[in-house]
Amino acid sequence: MCTYTTVRAAIDGSAKGPGGAWFHVADATVYFDHPVHAQFEHTLNIDLSDQSADPARRVAVELSAESARRLVAAIQEALDAVPAELR
């Protein structure tokens, strides 16, 4: 069953796309749904793009729910380890 819940966030960073070219990313779209490629019934899907630019310039990830939770924990751990003067 799909929830059709989609969460969007404004972000600011860079991503490396096909062919090795870097591009600006300003938008993150996160949703739990059927994957296009991953071999799971449902995945957490993350799309990073810049909606004001070429729509082909995007990075998409499909993760199992368990993998997505491990990624969230790893991101939090890495951010928590940053000294206050660098935040």
Side-chain angles (χ1 to χ4, degrees), residues 49-67:
S49 64
D50 183 347
Q51 293 181 358
S52 69
D54 180 357
R57 294 176 68 178
R58 65 187 273 265
V59 174
V61 190
E62 299 173 333
L63 301 171
S64 68
E66 182 179 325
S67 293

Side-chain angles (χ1 to χ4, degrees), residues 1-9 11 27-49 58-69 71-72:
M1 179 174 159
C2 298
T3 66
Y4 301 106
T5 300
T6 300
V7 179
R8 290 189 164 83
I11 60 172
D27 307 287
T29 304
V30 181
Y31 54 100
F32 195 78
D33 202 346
H34 297 285
V36 172
H37 187 266
Q39 299 301 307
F40 300 100
E41 189 166 332
H42 292 90
T43 53
L44 182 82
N45 305 308
I46 305 168
D47 288 309
L48 305 176
S49 64
R58 65 187 273 265
V59 174
V61 190
E62 299 173 333
L63 301 171
S64 68
E66 182 179 325
S67 293
R69 291 182 190 284
L71 177 59
V72 168

Side-chain angles (χ1 to χ4, degrees), residues 10-23:
I11 60 172
D12 190 15
S14 294
K16 196 174 199 178
W22 285 90
F23 58 93

